[in-house]
Amino acid sequence: MSAAGSLLAVVPAAAVLLLTVAAMPREAGAVAPLRLAVVRAALLSGAYAVLVVEVLGASHALTRPAFAIAWLLFLIAAATAAGLRWRRAIRLGQPLAAAPAVSTASRTVPVGAVVSGGGTDVAAPVAERDEPAPAPPRTGRGPAGLLAVAVDAWRTARPGERLLAGTVGGLVLVELLVALLAEPNNFDSQTYHLPKVEHWVAQGDLDFWPTAIHRQVTIPPGAEYLLLHLRLLTGGDHLHNLVQWAAGVACLLVAARITAQLGGSRRAQLLTAFVLATTPMVVLQATSTQTDLICAAWVACAATLVLDGLRRPTGWGTLLGLGAATGLTAVTKTSGLIAVGPLLVLWGLAQLRLARTDQSAAASPAPTDPAAGEGRESWPVGGLARTVGGSVLILVVAAVVVGPFLARVTAEFGHPLGPPRLRESIPMERHDPASIVVNALRIGHTAFDTPLAPLRRAGAEVIISGAEAIGVDPQDRAITFGRELFPEPAWYPDEDRVAFPLAGALAVIGAVIALARPRRIAPERAGSLRAYAVVVLTAVLLHTAMIKWQPWGNRLLLYAVVLAVPLAGLWLDALLRNRAGGRRTVATVAAVTVLATSALAGVLALSYGFPRRLVGAGSVFTTSDWDTRFLRRPQWADEFRWAATAVQDSGARRIGLVQQNDNWEYPWWLLLRQPDGSSPDLVALQSVLPERPPADPSSVDAIVCTGTKAACAKLVPAGWRLEFRGYVGYALPPGR
């Protein structure tokens, strides 16, 4: 990465930091205002990044100068907004995140009334006693004030809280080190995530291209849009892992804020962050170019904004934020909408309840009013219109973010969800109750897998026998991805499939108690807690009813894990707080044992996880950059170099690609770059896009192949020399 690239890469980071200052909430009673500002800044920056790609792509201007100008303009705007925010705070003599105390007449609704009552008085127009506003945060003006708050928090923290915070901070910092040292080596990234970015750079636009790998054009590209910014600003992929690392940090911050919104103390928030930070899937994906943490971060942002809307009417800024979160989720990974949908339903119900309660409180007629009805209550027209209008605005903003991609997919395949092979491969094709139950049991078995092989086998045998007893084939292709077979071990710390038994078990226990006895966990937020638990449970049930079982399905559940872990943090805190005498000692020992085991799992995943680790074979400290890229398939490293060297030595300029749907394409983009660093001229000799015919083999100067020699030989023109070594081959015309 050049010096200019390093400087340009700092611009987006600086813009986001300044935007965080500008986005500090002004409203009274904001929970965790700094974290809310981070959420706002992340959503605005993410939406801006997506729209920049769409606008410049439509203008055929996906170039480094164009992106540099776009980010410099954004930096100037963020700096201006931060300056205005700061000066206004100084002029008014308020801290940067002023949060004056909320009066007891605050318009707050018992959220439990939206779902089930939650033990609250649904007839009460004001529920401040059930949903008390948090104390004003002691936030100073600027970085010095924030540092003072952090120092004060550390000084007043108990030893256990310091240990929790220190562990989380240590893991995050070491993950940052790994993310910076390791080259991108995720399997899917080699096949379609990173080749997608390189095609855009080579073309200068977002038009689809002929390819044998349909996922390069059909899978939502939101995460790759973010990578494209780094690719053009820096000229390479050296910082690509930082996108998921930043998403992981965002997940920790937002999950902790959700815990606070549900009534969690500082310890409960730290417990939430600790459980999430030590979950092996989170640890491993935080140093990867996968997309699941990014999706989880957008879903979590939507969740925390929805929870804000349970206690007060939603303003325009939050509506825009909900729209951005919905659109960013859809353009990153559509499975995340399984959670965003129920969250938005909860938001709408809460807003209607707020409007109804406000009208009941403000318009109680006097007994002498002849026009007053007795015991009659109706939905306020204004409140209903405001909620409907807000819902429309959310959908419009979401459509602006994801609409251009969906339009391209629809124009290409006649359906916004892509070709039939995509629509039928991942979503469930059977929805009868028996099939859904079997699918849910298999997903749960894989998610809660442990190193105890006898337990795994016994559980799988019970599920298989039960499925056959109710007339469902446990390997039915209509409920199983591809040709995969259940069961599949998932305990090993591999970024694509590692299970999360500890975090999952804690979340399940927390969810059950939140549904059955919410006041035991959060006495002052019982309604909100129960409503949130219902949404999380709904999302999980919808996921198992809509997504087929697959060996790497655990990573698809990551958004649900992030949403559910706050329930675990709240429950653990209540467990440590509410027990007395000998029972308290037993509860404390049990909780500490579980947390210590969770910490061990996180440390082991970071130390020995695959395919990026600190120690052992394949360590980021002892493995070369090129070999790191091939840790999944070490034998291919020399084969790619061998073929690329032969093609470059031949002087070939236009190079044809022969590959199958799951082959690695990205190494060719690295090895065959032009001497000036520009993209190679790579064209596909096969295409699964009906309207995008492949290039004629006779029109290229050389051919590179992955997969089988037989498949390659079918496309090599007569008289050409074909060489193959294992997985990789090349073909050259006579005389080269």
Side-chain angles (χ1 to χ4, degrees):
M1 182 170 58
S2 64
S6 301
L7 291 175
L8 288 175
V10 173
V11 174
V16 173
L17 290 176
L18 289 169
L19 197 58
T20 301
V21 175
M24 292 294 288
R26 302 174 186 176
E27 61 266 25
V31 178
L34 179 57
R35 279 171 270 172
L36 176 57
V38 170
V39 168
R40 293 172 172 177
L43 290 173
L44 181 56
S45 301
Y48 179 78
V50 169
L51 294 178
V52 164
V53 172
E54 292 289 357
V55 171
L56 294 181
S59 306
H60 304 282
L62 297 181
T63 63
R64 187 180 193 182
F67 274 66
I69 292 172
W71 278 108
L72 287 172
L73 292 175
F74 191 69
L75 177 65
I76 293 171
T80 302
L84 292 174
R85 177 74 177 92
W86 201 330
R87 284 198 293 272
R88 183 180 184 278
I90 294 175
R91 184 174 67 253
L92 297 178
Q94 296 176 343
L96 191 58
V102 180
S103 77
T104 55
S106 175
R107 297 182 298 173
T108 306
V109 152
V111 181
V114 175
V115 179
S116 62
T120 61
D121 180 7
V122 296
V126 177
E128 194 63 35
R129 62 182 181 275
D130 292 314
E131 300 280 352
R138 299 171 56 190
T139 306
R141 297 173 185 161
L146 296 177
L147 179 61
V149 171
V151 171
D152 182 65
W154 182 264
R155 182 179 57 80
T156 58
R158 296 177 178 178
E161 294 174 344
R162 293 182 181 180
L163 181 60
L164 292 171
T167 302
V168 173
L171 285 172
V172 168
L173 290 177
V174 177
E175 289 163 6
L176 174 60
L177 177 64
V178 175
L180 289 171
L181 291 178
E183 303 298 318
N185 61 0
N186 174 262
F187 195 103
D188 285 348
S189 295
Q190 306 280 7
T191 299
Y192 68 96
H193 290 311
L194 301 186
K196 188 184 302 187
V197 174
E198 295 301 325
H199 277 285
W200 293 332
V201 173
Q203 297 177 172
D205 58 40
L206 300 174
D207 290 345
F208 291 161
W209 53 89
T211 178
I213 304 173
H214 77 87
R215 291 175 294 174
Q216 291 182 358
V217 296
T218 57
I219 297 293
E224 292 87 345
Y225 281 174
L226 304 181
L227 295 178
L228 177 62
H229 285 267
L230 289 177
R231 168 66 177 85
L232 287 172
L233 292 177
T234 66
D237 61 9
H238 312 287
L239 301 181
H240 280 8
N241 292 331
L242 293 186
V243 175
Q244 279 258 115
W245 177 83
V249 173
C251 286
L252 297 179
L253 294 175
V254 180
R257 183 173 193 263
I258 290 173
T259 305
Q261 290 173 290
L262 296 175
S265 63
R266 179 170 65 183
R267 182 175 64 183
Q269 297 171 53
L270 287 171
L271 285 167
T272 295
F274 180 89
V275 172
L276 188 59
T278 55
T279 300
M281 179 67 77
V282 174
V283 171
L284 293 167
Q285 288 228 4
T287 63
S288 170
T289 47
Q290 261 294 4
T291 62
D292 305 284
L293 267 180
I294 300 172
C295 174
W298 299 136
V299 173
C301 287
T304 194
L305 294 181
V306 164
L307 287 177
D308 280 340
L310 301 188
R311 303 180 62 236
R312 59 176 59 86
T314 300
W316 292 108
T318 301
L319 288 173
L320 294 175
L322 284 170
T326 303
L328 288 168
T329 300
V331 81
T332 301
K333 213 175 189 72
T334 51
S335 57
L337 295 176
I338 295 173
V340 173
L343 284 167
L344 292 180
V345 170
L346 175 63
W347 169 84
L349 293 174
Q351 291 295 295
L352 288 174
R353 175 65 66 175
L354 281 166
R356 185 175 184 179
T357 304
D358 286 348
Q359 178 175 337
S360 300
S364 298
T368 57
D369 186 353
E374 295 184 4
R376 295 165 58 189
E377 191 173 305
S378 61
W379 293 105
V381 175
L384 179 61
R386 187 167 59 247
T387 302
V388 172
S391 302
V392 171
L393 178 60
I394 291 171
L395 295 178
V396 168
V397 174
V400 169
V401 175
V402 72
F405 168 70
L406 294 181
R408 288 193 298 274
V409 173
T410 303
E412 189 73 29
F413 300 104
H415 195 287
L417 298 181
R421 66 184 300 176
L422 178 63
R423 303 198 305 269
E424 297 169 1
S425 61
I426 297 177
M428 287 274 285
E429 298 177 78
R430 289 180 56 178
H431 296 91
D432 57 285
S435 296
I436 293 174
V437 168
V438 172
N439 193 55
L441 290 174
R442 294 183 306 165
I443 289 175
H445 180 274
T446 304
F448 288 87
D449 190 24
T450 70
L452 303 176
L455 181 62
R456 181 189 313 118
R457 288 194 297 269
E461 290 172 0
V462 170
I463 293 173
I464 292 172
S465 299
E468 293 172 346
I470 60 176
V472 176
D473 179 3
Q475 314 298 349
D476 186 354
R477 297 303 101 190
I479 62 174
T480 305
F481 181 85
R483 300 178 180 178
E484 305 300 327
L485 296 177
F486 173 83
E488 182 73 22
W491 66 269
Y492 185 78
D494 184 303
E495 65 174 354
D496 285 337
R497 63 178 67 195
V498 62
F500 34 83
L502 289 176
L506 292 173
V508 168
I509 296 173
V512 169
I513 297 178
L515 291 170
R517 303 286 297 276
R519 290 189 177 276
R520 292 185 62 181
I521 298 180
E524 297 175 339
R525 302 282 168 85
S528 299
L529 178 60
R530 178 175 285 168
Y532 183 77
V534 167
V535 168
V536 172
L537 177 62
T538 301
V540 173
L541 293 177
L542 287 174
H543 185 101
T544 59
M546 298 174 67
I547 305 296
K548 293 178 180 178
W549 175 87
Q550 48 194 286
W552 43 89
N554 288 342
R555 64 181 181 82
L556 303 183
L557 273 170
L558 194 53
Y559 72 90
V561 174
V562 173
L563 290 184
V565 164
L567 301 175
L570 288 163
W571 172 70
L572 284 170
D573 183 59
L575 182 68
L576 297 173
R577 182 183 68 240
N578 295 334
R579 301 297 183 183
R583 295 177 64 188
R584 179 184 180 124
T585 301
V586 173
T588 301
V589 171
V592 170
T593 301
V594 171
L595 292 175
T597 306
S598 182
L600 178 62
V603 171
L604 289 177
L606 188 57
S607 301
Y608 296 98
F610 197 72
R612 291 165 304 281
R613 56 177 46 169
L614 290 174
V615 297
S619 166
V620 294
F621 296 115
T622 60
T623 308
S624 69
D625 293 347
W626 184 251
D627 288 335
T628 298
R629 297 180 184 275
F630 288 86
L631 285 176
R632 287 257 181 216
R633 299 290 187 273
Q635 67 276 18
W636 294 352
D638 291 336
E639 295 174 5
F640 270 97
R641 270 183 166 166
W642 161 77
T645 300
V647 170
Q648 288 178 320
D649 291 344
S650 72
R653 304 289 294 179
R654 181 177 167 86
I655 303 166
L657 284 174
V658 177
Q659 54 195 2
Q660 288 77 57
N661 184 57
D662 206 30
N663 290 175
W664 286 17
E665 179 181 314
Y666 186 58
W668 298 126
W669 290 97
L670 297 175
L671 291 167
L672 298 175
R673 283 188 180 177
Q674 303 294 342
D676 62 356
S678 59
S679 299
D681 185 8
L682 293 176
V683 296
L685 301 185
Q686 309 139 289
S687 179
V688 294
L689 279 65
E691 303 300 322
R692 309 278 174 173
D696 188 336
S698 63
S699 69
V700 301
D701 303 323
I703 296 174
V704 291
C705 309
T706 51
T708 66
K709 183 176 182 178
C712 185
K714 293 178 181 179
L715 292 169
V716 174
W720 284 39
R721 175 169 57 92
L722 174 61
E723 301 286 344
F724 228 89
R725 181 183 294 178
Y727 176 77
V728 177
Y730 69 90
L732 296 173
R736 285 187 180 270

